[in-house]
Amino acid sequence: MPAIEALKLGSSALTAYRAAIETVGHNVANIATPGYTRQRVLFQARMPNYRGYSVVGRGVDIAGIERLASDFLDAQLRIADGEKTRWDLLDRTYRALEMFLGELTDRDVGDTLARFFAAMNDAATDPSSLTARQQVMEQARSLKDVFRSVSGRIHDMWQSLDAQMPQHAQRINNIARQIAELNGRIVEAESSGAGRMLANDLRDQRGELLRELSRIIAVSVQEDPRGGVVVSAGGRPIVFLGHYYTVTAERSPANGGYKLVFSEDGAEVSVAGGTVAGIYEARDEVLHRYAKWFDDFAASLVWQVNRIHSTGAGLEPRRVMQGTNRMADPSAAINSLDFGADPRGGVFTAANGRITVDVVEDATGIIHRYALNYDADDPLSGTPDAFVERLDALAGISASIDNLGRVVVRSDAGFGFFFSEDTGGVLALLGLGGLFAGYDADTIDVSPDLEGHPEFMAAGRTLLPGDNEVMLQLAALDNNGLFLNTSLSLNAAYQALVGTLGSDALSVQDAYRNQSDIVLSLENERQEVSGVSLDEELAELIQYQRAYQGMAKFISIVDELLDTLIRM
């Protein structure tokens, strides 16, 4: 081998091993860099010299710097990451719901309900006691506070989740822009012959962005032969090589919440995983389902308590009674009324029936009893206007509809009154004589007529001392009152809710833990394939160092031979 060829051989080896040492250093330097993929120099023997007597090698070249990545593992990690963030959000939602119920405190819904019905039992044992009535009022206020607190916190959580959507849209756009830019740089670097070193690091950056994007929404990734990628959600591109398509958060007319749409044409973004999918499920399904349950439970409680309480007498007759439900059109049939809000359809529904009004003469105590039949579905005789007209015609009382659409009944001077019967529920529907006002968990309240006047709280059907018929029926609602139109009692319905919530929360928690284990397992697999091992790098560093030193010695010997040859 001519000396010059030998020097070139040695030089090629020094160059190759120096690059290998630098690559090891690069790996070690990035051992803590998120998403970094280990790199390895690929060596390739140079084409030999063919001579008559033999084939003589010409040294080594660097064929490239390999990125030790697994596209399959990376794709599986993106899918697993998206599912993990979805389950994480659902897990946090269920844990919050359990906290809202407060089953581990003395202020939970169940205990407050128990105290409310216990106070009614106490009042039934001493129906003439003003103190017992005040205790019922206090427990009714506590019940109202708990229902409103739970409802408010569910609503606040709904808004909090919904408010994240514009932020996620902005983050998706930022990530898509960066991926599109990296696509261009990768294609340029790999097609210009500048080598794989620069592209490897750029690919790591892009891979980390793709993984971050998959935590927000589920995406599919396809690589172009030139090195760029197409990123799609539900088959529609978000990134197409060097271009990206922005998304925005737009209010949905269906539920008022934000949804992701493409800015270009307003088409909804298909969301199958990630945090956004978790928000959709938590906001539109989980929170909606439990909020509706609380609304239905509060409506059932209000309706059934008021059905009984509206047909009883307090310690003294009433002088004025004002309805709590406002009607938009009192000329409509009772069961077709528009209250300006949903009064829990299917719960607040009157039937054809009869009311009995007891008008009491203050001076003599004589009671005049009047019975009025009504047809709740008759558009002529079964309207609030017709109902009020008939009440107003009775001796000793007057009735009207105020400018807010509420029925108001007043006694004439020297008279009092109370309702002792309502077989169809029209009084409860109009909000007359009830213990509660409102129609759901957000609006439930103690009737304004009773605030400051516990003497008007009904205990019996008559004004006779010791009459506790109404209070006994109210106390029995805990186990006898029905939830909605089911066969479940109020108490059984609440216990079923607690059980269902606990079961759902446990299932979601298990799913989140399982998914976390899957992600951890995939990350460990990726670490084995693509991660930097300090021990392995140090071993390779020593190998390359020895090879470099050996080739340096080789060049030194060739130099001496060349020097000897020149001196001859």
Side-chain angles (χ1 to χ4, degrees):
M1 174 187 294
I4 297 300
E5 289 295 328
L7 287 176
K8 288 182 179 179
L9 185 154
S11 176
S12 71
L14 290 179
T15 300
Y17 289 122
R18 184 176 67 246
I21 290 171
E22 290 173 353
T23 301
V24 169
H26 186 60
N27 287 338
V28 174
N30 286 280
I31 194 169
T33 301
Y36 179 77
T37 302
R38 181 187 177 197
Q39 298 177 17
R40 179 177 64 189
V41 172
L42 298 176
F43 299 102
Q44 176 179 289
R46 286 183 170 182
M47 292 296 295
N49 284 327
Y50 294 93
R51 296 176 183 169
Y53 59 86
S54 181
V55 178
V56 180
R58 297 176 54 244
V60 64
D61 279 330
I62 299 174
I65 299 178
E66 182 183 23
R67 180 172 172 264
L68 300 178
S70 168
D71 292 339
F72 174 77
L73 275 178
D74 289 342
Q76 292 301 305
L77 258 176
R78 287 194 294 269
I79 295 172
D81 269 338
E83 283 300 287
K84 179 184 176 182
T85 55
R86 182 176 76 88
W87 285 116
D88 178 36
L89 192 140
L90 289 172
D91 180 49
R92 286 186 281 115
T93 299
Y94 273 103
R95 283 190 281 114
L97 283 171
E98 288 185 305
M99 182 183 67
F100 295 165
L101 283 180
E103 281 298 302
L104 299 180
T105 73
D106 60 356
R107 289 284 297 168
D108 64 272
V109 178
D111 282 344
T112 307
L113 272 171
R115 288 194 294 270
F116 173 68
F117 287 114
M120 289 182 170
N121 266 315
D122 293 341
T125 62
D126 189 5
S128 299
S129 169
L130 192 61
T131 301
R133 282 175 162 80
Q134 290 172 332
Q135 185 60 28
V136 173
M137 290 285 291
E138 182 61 31
Q139 295 304 324
R141 292 189 195 97
S142 295
L143 192 58
K144 174 261 295 186
D145 291 342
V146 169
F147 269 110
R148 286 193 170 189
S149 174
V150 173
S151 176
R153 294 175 80 176
I154 291 176
H155 180 67
D156 289 346
M157 190 170 187
W158 190 98
Q159 287 190 316
S160 176
L161 290 173
D162 191 55
Q164 296 177 29
M165 292 297 292
Q167 301 168 24
H168 289 307
Q170 183 177 9
R171 185 60 186 146
I172 289 170
N173 292 336
N174 288 338
I175 294 173
R177 174 182 54 79
Q178 293 178 69
I179 292 173
E181 291 174 354
L182 284 169
N183 275 343
R185 294 171 64 186
I186 290 169
V187 169
E188 181 181 2
E190 295 184 357
S191 63
S192 65
R196 298 278 293 181
M197 184 76 171
L198 179 61
N200 284 340
D201 293 332
L202 293 177
R203 281 173 173 268
D204 284 346
Q205 293 177 35
R206 186 178 66 186
E208 192 66 10
L209 287 171
L210 287 170
R211 191 171 175 186
E212 185 178 351
L213 181 61
S214 70
R215 294 186 184 112
I216 304 174
I217 56 172
V219 293
S220 61
V221 180
Q222 290 182 315
E223 184 168 336
D224 178 79
R226 296 181 302 165
V229 294
V230 177
V231 184
S232 304
R236 178 160 176 173
I238 292 178
V239 178
F240 190 84
L241 302 179
H243 304 279
Y244 71 99
Y245 302 90
T246 61
V247 301
T248 188
E250 183 180 273
R251 289 288 183 190
S252 169
N255 59 15
Y258 281 115
K259 63 179 180 179
L260 290 183
V261 300
F262 285 97
S263 305
E264 184 179 33
D265 57 9
E268 188 169 355
V269 179
S270 176
V271 177
T275 300
V276 173
I279 289 176
Y280 283 177
E281 190 171 347
R283 183 194 67 186
D284 302 338
E285 296 179 29
V286 178
L287 293 181
H288 174 75
R289 180 168 66 251
Y290 283 98
K292 183 180 184 304
W293 189 96
F294 269 99
D295 284 340
D296 289 342
F297 189 87
S300 298
L301 180 70
V302 168
W303 174 251
Q304 294 184 65
V305 167
N306 287 353
R307 277 293 309 269
I308 296 171
H309 190 274
S310 62
T311 59
L315 294 176
E316 58 183 73
R318 303 287 288 270
R319 307 298 169 179
V320 63
M321 188 180 290
Q322 180 173 276
T324 57
N325 293 333
R326 304 178 181 185
M327 301 170 289
D329 180 11
S331 66
I334 289 171
N335 272 339
S336 302
L337 290 173
D338 177 8
F339 290 96
D342 176 19
R344 310 318 302 167
V347 179
F348 284 50
T349 303
N352 299 336
R354 179 182 66 253
I355 66 166
T356 299
V357 190
D358 290 19
V359 180
V360 185
E361 294 184 14
D362 291 340
T364 64
I366 295 175
I367 295 178
H368 303 274
R369 180 163 289 176
Y370 304 97
L372 301 176
N373 294 318
Y374 59 85
D375 183 341
D377 298 306
D378 192 320
L380 297 177
S381 63
T383 67
D385 280 340
F387 179 74
V388 166
E389 184 178 353
R390 295 175 67 191
L391 279 177
D392 191 54
L394 300 178
I397 62 173
S398 63
S400 63
I401 297 175
D402 67 13
N403 59 356
L404 295 178
R406 300 173 298 187
V407 174
V408 182
V409 183
R410 288 184 172 86
S411 63
D412 296 339
F415 292 90
F417 72 95
F418 61 91
F419 294 97
S420 60
E421 181 186 39
D422 179 8
T423 61
V426 68
L427 296 176
L429 184 64
L430 296 174
L432 284 169
L435 174 60
F436 289 112
Y439 51 83
D440 59 20
D442 195 46
T443 60
I444 185 173
D445 204 348
V446 174
S447 173
D449 281 358
L450 298 182
E451 284 289 2
H453 296 283
E455 68 275 11
F456 292 147
M457 180 177 290
R461 299 287 179 201
T462 68
L463 295 170
L464 296 175
D467 186 352
N468 64 354
E469 180 184 348
V470 167
M471 198 60 73
L472 284 173
Q473 289 183 358
L474 289 172
L477 284 176
D478 186 21
N479 293 310
N480 296 335
L482 299 182
F483 173 66
L484 292 179
N485 297 316
T486 70
S487 59
L488 287 176
S489 69
L490 292 173
N491 182 58
Y494 178 72
Q495 295 305 322
L497 167 77
V498 173
T500 300
L501 177 58
S503 176
D504 289 348
L506 185 60
S507 296
V508 168
Q509 185 182 72
D510 287 344
Y512 171 60
R513 288 176 176 172
N514 290 338
Q515 195 62 37
S516 297
D517 290 342
I518 291 172
V519 170
L520 181 60
S521 176
L522 288 170
E523 284 180 336
N524 288 337
E525 285 188 51
R526 185 186 184 280
Q527 183 66 21
E528 290 179 6
V529 174
S530 305
V532 177
S533 168
L534 197 57
D535 290 339
E536 290 181 14
E537 297 301 317
L538 290 177
E540 289 194 358
L541 180 61
I542 293 172
Q543 176 187 352
Y544 297 145
Q545 179 189 21
R546 296 296 187 215
Y548 190 91
Q549 290 172 342
M551 293 311 300
K553 183 66 174 175
F554 171 80
I555 291 176
S556 176
I557 292 173
V558 171
D559 183 59
E560 290 178 8
L561 292 174
L562 184 60
D563 184 61
T564 301
L565 181 63
I566 292 173
R567 292 176 181 275
M568 290 178 63

